[in-house]
Amino acid sequence: MNPFEYDALPGRVVFGAGRRHEVGAEAQRLGVRRILLIADGHDLTFVDEVVKCLGDLCVGVFTDVVQHVPLEQAKHVRDLATASRATATVTLGGGSATGFGKAVSLTHAIPQIAIPTTYAGSELTPIWGLTDGEHKKTGRDLVVLPKVVIYDPELTLGLPVAIAGPSGMNALAHAVEGLYGPGNNPLMTALALESVSVLSTHLPLMSASPSDLEERSHVLYGAYLAGAVLAVVGTALHHKTCHVLGGLYGLDHGKMNAVVLPHALAFNAPAIPEAYDRLSTVLGGDAAQQLYDLARTLGTPSSLASIGMPRDGVAVAAALIAHEAAANVRPISVEQATTLLNDCLAGERPG
Ligand code: NAD
């Protein structure tokens, strides 16, 4: 057996339908008395509910969440935290809402209780991101790792399949790269394979029956496992590719994940024979092909061209990917990155 290292991350997870109503009790448990609620406002009924659950503990509400945590808006929320003398935040929403809570924790060193409503996984990681103009800066700091995460699948019942499918593929990408990313260890392999099994089984069922709470619960659980893997293992070629494309062309994060994942995995396959075999066993056939077919079943876009990648953008992106993914499990040359991007652009089945 190969030697390994594992830095376990702290945090409490509360999982189950209706458990958002326990947010007040969780705040009391943490010993925090003044809470700023940060919500993306996709459903104000849920915001009102959480305000009610927090009662006197709630000293402010911010609902103007936008994607990628722009510095200006982050400053505004930080000022709100200062003015309201908040001693904690509660975030309610997707990765963007979670990101605003992290921005406050970073400067104010106050704890966050995260109530995620998508499958992004940010709630489990100590990674923060802030966008200054065109440039998204990221960093790792334990102070931004939420102290409590409340997963309530009822909150995801309204997540449209058009967002849930790509968001689910994003979660799958966290689990898949968890098998060979830089911080992989046997525990993370076990979690990642379980996550792939749960997500690949239940994403199609959820997409066929979006109002089925049981299916929504399974998918949220699979995404939770994937986020836990991402937080420890980090990322490889697939995520580096998406990061480059997102920065250059502002492509939708989830849709881009759905297109790139089978191709990035197929490229890495020769360097990860054991992981690839185990993944293929869980998926019931060649892993890259199965993921490509799963994405089709979920109705996610098949090509980067269809989500706005310019055809003349390949060269500049390929050069950046070859540079950014230098530490990938299989180093990628500019020529190989060009081939990979051309396949993604056209929506080819991975070879
Ligand atoms: P998002 O938070 O921007 O949400 C996408 C859209 O879905 C928004 O319009 C939102 O209002 C809506 N929405 C959210 N939940 C809903 C629900 N239950 N029902 C209906 N609509 C709902 O997108 P996301 O994919 O959750 O997060 C993406 C962001 O998270 C990106 O900025 C990404 O970089 C970041 N992220 C960070 C990490 C990390 O570790 N730091 C990890 C993953 C993602």
Coordinates of all heavy atoms in Angstrom, one line a residue, residues 13-80:
V13 N -22.0 18.8 10.2 CA -23.0 18.8 9.1 C -24.3 18.3 9.7 O -24.4 17.3 10.5 CB -22.5 17.8 8.0 CG1 -23.6 17.5 7.0 CG2 -21.3 18.4 7.3
V14 N -25.4 19.0 9.3 CA -26.8 18.6 9.7 C -27.5 18.3 8.4 O -27.6 19.2 7.6 CB -27.4 19.8 10.5 CG1 -28.9 19.5 10.8 CG2 -26.6 20.1 11.8
F15 N -28.0 17.1 8.2 CA -28.6 16.7 7.0 C -30.0 16.2 7.2 O -30.2 15.3 8.0 CB -27.7 15.6 6.3 CG -28.1 15.4 4.9 CD1 -27.3 15.8 3.8 CD2 -29.2 14.6 4.6 CE1 -27.6 15.5 2.5 CE2 -29.6 14.4 3.2 CZ -28.8 14.8 2.2
G16 N -30.9 16.7 6.4 CA -32.3 16.1 6.4 C -33.4 17.1 6.0 O -33.2 18.3 6.1
A17 N -34.5 16.6 5.5 CA -35.6 17.4 5.1 C -36.1 18.2 6.2 O -36.3 17.7 7.3 CB -36.7 16.6 4.5
G18 N -36.3 19.5 6.0 CA -36.9 20.4 7.0 C -35.9 20.9 8.0 O -36.2 21.8 8.9
R19 N -34.6 20.5 8.0 CA -33.7 20.9 9.1 C -33.2 22.3 9.0 O -32.5 22.7 9.9 CB -32.5 19.8 9.1 CG -33.1 18.4 9.3 CD -32.1 17.5 9.9 NE -31.7 17.8 11.3 CZ -30.9 17.1 11.9 NH1 -30.3 16.0 11.4 NH2 -30.5 17.4 13.2
R20 N -33.6 23.1 8.0 CA -33.3 24.5 8.0 C -33.9 25.2 9.2 O -33.4 26.2 9.6 CB -33.7 25.2 6.7 CG -35.3 25.1 6.5 CD -35.7 25.6 5.1 NE -37.1 25.6 4.9 CZ -37.8 24.5 4.5 NH1 -37.2 23.3 4.5 NH2 -39.1 24.6 4.3
H21 N -35.0 24.6 9.7 CA -35.7 25.2 10.8 C -34.8 25.1 12.1 O -35.1 25.8 13.1 CB -37.0 24.5 11.0 CG -37.9 24.7 9.9 ND1 -38.5 25.9 9.5 CD2 -38.4 23.8 8.9 CE1 -39.3 25.8 8.4 NE2 -39.2 24.5 8.0
E22 N -33.7 24.3 12.0 CA -32.9 24.2 13.2 C -31.7 25.2 13.2 O -30.8 25.2 14.1 CB -32.3 22.8 13.3 CG -33.4 21.7 13.5 CD -32.8 20.3 13.4 OE1 -31.7 20.1 13.8 OE2 -33.6 19.4 12.9
V23 N -31.8 26.2 12.3 CA -30.7 27.1 12.2 C -30.5 27.9 13.5 O -29.3 28.2 13.9 CB -30.8 28.0 10.9 CG1 -32.0 28.9 11.0 CG2 -29.5 28.9 10.7
G24 N -31.6 28.3 14.1 CA -31.5 29.1 15.4 C -30.8 28.2 16.5 O -29.9 28.7 17.2
A25 N -31.2 27.0 16.6 CA -30.6 26.1 17.6 C -29.1 25.9 17.3 O -28.2 25.9 18.2 CB -31.3 24.7 17.6
E26 N -28.7 25.8 16.0 CA -27.3 25.6 15.6 C -26.5 26.9 16.0 O -25.4 26.8 16.4 CB -27.2 25.3 14.1 CG -27.7 23.9 13.7 CD -26.9 22.8 14.4 OE1 -25.7 23.0 14.7 OE2 -27.5 21.8 14.8
A27 N -27.1 28.1 15.8 CA -26.4 29.3 16.2 C -26.2 29.3 17.7 O -25.1 29.7 18.2 CB -27.3 30.5 15.7
Q28 N -27.2 28.9 18.5 CA -27.1 28.9 19.9 C -26.0 28.0 20.3 O -25.2 28.2 21.2 CB -28.4 28.4 20.6 CG -29.7 29.2 20.2 CD -29.9 30.4 21.1 OE1 -29.0 30.8 21.9 NE2 -31.0 31.1 21.0
R29 N -25.9 26.8 19.6 CA -24.9 25.8 19.9 C -23.5 26.4 19.7 O -22.6 26.0 20.4 CB -25.2 24.6 18.9 CG -24.7 23.3 19.4 CD -25.2 22.3 18.4 NE -24.8 21.0 18.8 CZ -23.6 20.4 18.5 NH1 -22.8 21.1 17.7 NH2 -23.2 19.3 19.0
L30 N -23.4 27.2 18.7 CA -22.1 27.8 18.4 C -21.8 29.0 19.3 O -20.7 29.5 19.4 CB -22.1 28.5 17.0 CG -21.6 27.7 15.8 CD1 -21.6 28.6 14.5 CD2 -20.2 27.2 16.0
G31 N -22.9 29.4 20.0 CA -22.7 30.5 21.0 C -22.6 31.9 20.3 O -22.0 32.8 20.8
V32 N -23.2 32.0 19.1 CA -23.2 33.3 18.5 C -24.6 34.0 18.7 O -25.6 33.4 18.6 CB -22.9 33.2 17.0 CG1 -21.4 32.8 16.8 CG2 -23.8 32.2 16.3
R33 N -24.6 35.3 18.9 CA -25.8 36.1 19.2 C -26.2 37.1 18.2 O -27.3 37.6 18.3 CB -25.5 36.8 20.6 CG -25.2 35.9 21.8 CD -26.5 35.5 22.4 NE -26.2 34.5 23.5 CZ -26.1 33.2 23.4 NH1 -26.3 32.7 22.2 NH2 -25.9 32.4 24.4
R34 N -25.3 37.5 17.3 CA -25.7 38.6 16.3 C -25.3 38.1 14.9 O -24.2 37.9 14.6 CB -24.9 39.9 16.6 CG -25.2 40.4 18.1 CD -24.5 41.7 18.3 NE -25.0 42.8 17.4 CZ -26.0 43.5 17.6 NH1 -26.8 43.3 18.7 NH2 -26.4 44.4 16.8
I35 N -26.4 37.8 14.2 CA -26.2 37.1 12.9 C -26.6 38.0 11.7 O -27.7 38.5 11.7 CB -26.9 35.8 12.9 CG1 -26.3 34.8 13.8 CG2 -27.0 35.2 11.5 CD1 -27.0 33.5 14.1
L36 N -25.7 38.0 10.7 CA -26.0 38.7 9.4 C -26.4 37.6 8.5 O -25.6 36.6 8.2 CB -24.8 39.4 8.9 CG -24.9 40.0 7.5 CD1 -26.0 41.1 7.4 CD2 -23.6 40.6 7.1
L37 N -27.6 37.6 7.9 CA -28.1 36.6 7.0 C -27.7 37.1 5.6 O -28.1 38.2 5.2 CB -29.6 36.4 7.1 CG -30.2 35.5 6.1 CD1 -29.7 34.1 6.1 CD2 -31.8 35.5 6.3
I38 N -27.0 36.2 4.8 CA -26.7 36.5 3.4 C -27.4 35.5 2.6 O -27.1 34.3 2.7 CB -25.2 36.4 3.2 CG1 -24.4 37.4 4.1 CG2 -24.8 36.7 1.7 CD1 -22.9 37.2 4.2
A39 N -28.3 36.0 1.7 CA -29.1 35.0 0.9 C -29.2 35.4 -0.5 O -29.2 36.6 -0.8 CB -30.5 34.9 1.5
D40 N -29.2 34.4 -1.5 CA -29.2 34.9 -2.9 C -30.6 35.2 -3.3 O -30.8 35.7 -4.5 CB -28.5 33.8 -3.8 CG -29.3 32.5 -3.9 OD1 -30.5 32.5 -3.6 OD2 -28.7 31.6 -4.4
G41 N -31.6 35.0 -2.5 CA -32.9 35.6 -2.7 C -33.7 34.9 -3.9 O -34.6 35.4 -4.4
H42 N -33.2 33.6 -4.3 CA -33.9 33.0 -5.4 C -35.4 32.6 -4.9 O -36.2 32.5 -5.7 CB -33.2 31.7 -5.8 CG -33.2 30.6 -4.8 ND1 -32.2 30.4 -3.9 CD2 -34.1 29.6 -4.5 CE1 -32.4 29.4 -3.1 NE2 -33.6 28.9 -3.5
D43 N -35.6 32.5 -3.6 CA -36.9 32.3 -3.1 C -37.0 33.0 -1.7 O -36.5 32.5 -0.7 CB -37.2 30.7 -2.9 CG -38.6 30.4 -2.6 OD1 -39.3 31.3 -2.0 OD2 -39.1 29.3 -2.9
L44 N -37.8 34.1 -1.8 CA -37.8 34.9 -0.6 C -38.6 34.3 0.6 O -38.4 34.6 1.7 CB -38.4 36.3 -0.9 CG -37.4 37.2 -1.8 CD1 -38.1 38.5 -2.2 CD2 -36.1 37.4 -1.1
T45 N -39.4 33.3 0.2 CA -40.1 32.6 1.3 C -39.1 31.9 2.2 O -39.3 31.9 3.5 CB -41.0 31.4 0.7 OG1 -41.6 31.9 -0.5 CG2 -42.0 30.9 1.6
F46 N -38.1 31.3 1.6 CA -37.1 30.6 2.5 C -36.3 31.7 3.3 O -35.9 31.4 4.4 CB -36.1 29.8 1.6 CG -36.8 28.6 1.0 CD1 -36.5 28.3 -0.4 CD2 -37.6 27.8 1.7 CE1 -37.1 27.2 -0.9 CE2 -38.2 26.7 1.2 CZ -38.0 26.4 -0.2
V47 N -36.1 32.8 2.7 CA -35.3 33.9 3.5 C -36.2 34.3 4.7 O -35.7 34.3 5.8 CB -35.1 35.1 2.6 CG1 -34.4 36.2 3.3 CG2 -34.3 34.7 1.3
D48 N -37.5 34.5 4.5 CA -38.4 34.9 5.6 C -38.4 33.8 6.7 O -38.4 34.1 7.8 CB -39.8 35.1 5.1 CG -39.9 36.3 4.2 OD1 -39.0 37.2 4.3 OD2 -40.9 36.5 3.5
E49 N -38.4 32.5 6.2 CA -38.4 31.4 7.2 C -37.2 31.4 8.0 O -37.3 31.3 9.3 CB -38.4 30.1 6.4 CG -39.8 29.5 6.1 CD -39.6 28.2 5.4 OE1 -38.5 27.6 5.4 OE2 -40.6 27.8 4.8
V50 N -36.0 31.6 7.4 CA -34.8 31.6 8.2 C -34.7 32.8 9.1 O -34.3 32.7 10.3 CB -33.5 31.5 7.2 CG1 -32.2 31.8 8.0 CG2 -33.5 30.2 6.5
V51 N -35.2 34.0 8.6 CA -35.2 35.1 9.5 C -36.1 34.8 10.8 O -35.7 35.1 11.9 CB -35.8 36.4 8.8 CG1 -36.1 37.5 9.7 CG2 -34.8 36.8 7.7
K52 N -37.2 34.2 10.5 CA -38.1 33.8 11.6 C -37.4 32.8 12.6 O -37.5 33.0 13.8 CB -39.4 33.2 11.0 CG -40.6 33.4 11.9 CD -41.8 32.8 11.3 CE -42.9 33.8 10.9 NZ -44.0 33.1 10.2
C53 N -36.7 31.8 12.0 CA -36.1 30.8 12.8 C -35.0 31.5 13.7 O -34.7 31.0 14.8 CB -35.4 29.7 12.0 SG -36.6 28.7 11.2
L54 N -34.3 32.5 13.1 CA -33.2 33.1 13.9 C -33.8 34.1 15.0 O -33.1 34.3 16.0 CB -32.3 33.9 12.9 CG -31.4 33.0 12.0 CD1 -30.7 33.9 11.0 CD2 -30.4 32.2 12.8
G55 N -35.0 34.6 14.7 CA -35.6 35.5 15.7 C -34.7 36.7 16.0 O -34.1 37.3 15.1
D56 N -34.5 37.0 17.3 CA -33.7 38.1 17.8 C -32.2 38.0 17.4 O -31.5 39.0 17.5 CB -33.8 38.2 19.3 CG -35.2 38.6 19.7 OD1 -36.0 39.1 18.9 OD2 -35.5 38.5 20.9
L57 N -31.8 36.8 17.0 CA -30.4 36.7 16.7 C -30.1 37.4 15.4 O -28.9 37.7 15.1 CB -30.0 35.2 16.5 CG -30.2 34.3 17.8 CD1 -29.9 32.8 17.4 CD2 -29.3 34.8 18.9
C58 N -31.1 37.6 14.5 CA -30.8 38.2 13.2 C -30.7 39.7 13.3 O -31.6 40.4 13.7 CB -31.9 37.8 12.2 SG -31.6 38.3 10.6
V59 N -29.5 40.2 13.0 CA -29.3 41.7 13.1 C -29.2 42.4 11.7 O -29.0 43.6 11.6 CB -28.0 42.0 13.9 CG1 -28.2 41.6 15.3 CG2 -26.8 41.4 13.3
G60 N -29.3 41.6 10.6 CA -29.2 42.2 9.3 C -29.5 41.1 8.2 O -29.2 40.0 8.4
V61 N -30.0 41.6 7.0 CA -30.2 40.7 5.9 C -29.7 41.3 4.7 O -29.9 42.5 4.4 CB -31.7 40.4 5.7 CG1 -31.9 39.4 4.6 CG2 -32.4 39.9 7.0
F62 N -28.9 40.5 3.9 CA -28.4 41.0 2.6 C -28.8 40.0 1.5 O -28.6 38.8 1.7 CB -26.9 41.0 2.7 CG -26.2 41.4 1.3 CD1 -26.1 42.7 0.9 CD2 -25.7 40.3 0.5 CE1 -25.5 42.9 -0.4 CE2 -25.1 40.6 -0.7 CZ -25.0 41.9 -1.2
T63 N -29.5 40.5 0.5 CA -30.0 39.5 -0.5 C -29.6 39.9 -2.0 O -30.0 39.3 -2.9 CB -31.6 39.5 -0.5 OG1 -32.1 40.8 -0.7 CG2 -32.2 38.8 0.7
D64 N -28.6 40.8 -2.1 CA -28.1 41.2 -3.4 C -26.9 40.4 -3.9 O -26.0 40.9 -4.4 CB -27.8 42.7 -3.5 CG -29.1 43.5 -3.4 OD1 -30.1 43.0 -3.8 OD2 -29.0 44.6 -2.8
V65 N -27.0 39.1 -3.7 CA -25.8 38.2 -4.1 C -25.7 38.2 -5.6 O -26.7 38.0 -6.3 CB -26.1 36.8 -3.5 CG1 -25.1 35.8 -4.1 CG2 -25.9 36.8 -2.0
V66 N -24.5 38.3 -6.1 CA -24.2 38.1 -7.5 C -23.1 37.1 -7.6 O -22.5 36.8 -6.6 CB -23.8 39.4 -8.2 CG1 -25.0 40.4 -8.3 CG2 -22.6 40.1 -7.5
Q67 N -22.9 36.6 -8.9 CA -21.9 35.5 -9.0 C -20.4 36.1 -8.8 O -20.2 37.2 -9.1 CB -22.0 34.9 -10.4 CG -23.1 33.9 -10.5 CD -22.8 32.7 -11.4 OE1 -22.1 32.9 -12.4 NE2 -23.2 31.6 -11.1
H68 N -19.6 35.2 -8.4 CA -18.1 35.4 -8.4 C -17.6 36.4 -7.4 O -16.5 36.9 -7.5 CB -17.6 35.7 -9.8 CG -17.9 34.6 -10.8 ND1 -17.6 33.3 -10.5 CD2 -18.6 34.7 -11.9 CE1 -18.1 32.6 -11.6 NE2 -18.7 33.4 -12.4
V69 N -18.5 36.8 -6.4 CA -18.1 37.7 -5.3 C -17.2 38.9 -5.8 O -16.0 39.0 -5.4 CB -17.3 36.9 -4.2 CG1 -17.4 37.7 -2.9 CG2 -17.9 35.6 -4.0
P70 N -17.8 39.8 -6.5 CA -17.1 41.1 -6.9 C -16.7 41.8 -5.6 O -17.4 41.9 -4.7 CB -18.1 41.9 -7.7 CG -19.2 40.9 -8.1 CD -19.2 39.9 -7.0
L71 N -15.5 42.4 -5.7 CA -14.9 43.1 -4.5 C -15.8 44.2 -4.0 O -15.9 44.3 -2.7 CB -13.5 43.6 -4.9 CG -12.5 43.8 -3.8 CD1 -12.3 42.6 -3.0 CD2 -11.2 44.3 -4.5
E72 N -16.4 45.0 -4.9 CA -17.2 46.1 -4.4 C -18.4 45.6 -3.6 O -18.6 46.2 -2.5 CB -17.8 46.8 -5.7 CG -16.9 47.9 -6.2 CD -16.6 48.9 -5.1 OE1 -17.6 49.5 -4.5 OE2 -15.4 49.1 -4.7
Q73 N -19.1 44.5 -4.0 CA -20.2 44.0 -3.3 C -19.7 43.3 -2.0 O -20.4 43.4 -1.0 CB -21.0 43.0 -4.1 CG -22.0 43.6 -5.0 CD -21.4 43.9 -6.4 OE1 -20.2 44.0 -6.6 NE2 -22.3 44.1 -7.4
A74 N -18.6 42.7 -2.1 CA -18.0 42.1 -0.8 C -17.8 43.2 0.2 O -18.0 43.0 1.4 CB -16.7 41.3 -1.2
K75 N -17.3 44.3 -0.2 CA -17.0 45.4 0.7 C -18.3 45.9 1.3 O -18.3 46.1 2.5 CB -16.3 46.5 -0.1 CG -15.8 47.6 0.8 CD -15.1 48.7 0.0 CE -14.7 49.9 0.9 NZ -15.8 50.4 1.7
H76 N -19.3 45.9 0.5 CA -20.6 46.4 1.0 C -21.1 45.4 2.1 O -21.6 45.9 3.2 CB -21.6 46.4 -0.1 CG -23.0 46.8 0.3 ND1 -23.3 48.1 0.8 CD2 -24.2 46.2 0.2 CE1 -24.6 48.1 1.1 NE2 -25.1 47.0 0.8
V77 N -21.0 44.1 1.9 CA -21.5 43.2 2.9 C -20.6 43.2 4.2 O -21.0 43.1 5.3 CB -21.5 41.7 2.3 CG1 -22.1 40.8 3.3 CG2 -22.2 41.7 1.1
R78 N -19.3 43.4 3.9 CA -18.4 43.5 5.1 C -18.7 44.8 5.9 O -18.7 44.7 7.2 CB -16.9 43.6 4.6 CG -16.4 42.3 4.1 CD -15.1 42.5 3.3 NE -14.4 41.2 3.0 CZ -13.4 41.1 2.2 NH1 -13.0 42.1 1.5 NH2 -12.9 39.9 2.0
D79 N -19.1 45.9 5.3 CA -19.5 47.1 6.0 C -20.8 46.8 6.8 O -20.9 47.3 7.9 CB -19.7 48.2 5.0 CG -18.4 48.7 4.4 OD1 -17.3 48.4 5.0 OD2 -18.4 49.5 3.4
L80 N -21.7 46.0 6.2 CA -22.9 45.7 6.9 C -22.6 44.9 8.1 O -23.2 45.1 9.2 CB -23.8 44.8 6.0 CG -24.8 45.5 5.1 CD1 -25.6 44.4 4.3 CD2 -25.8 46.2 6.0

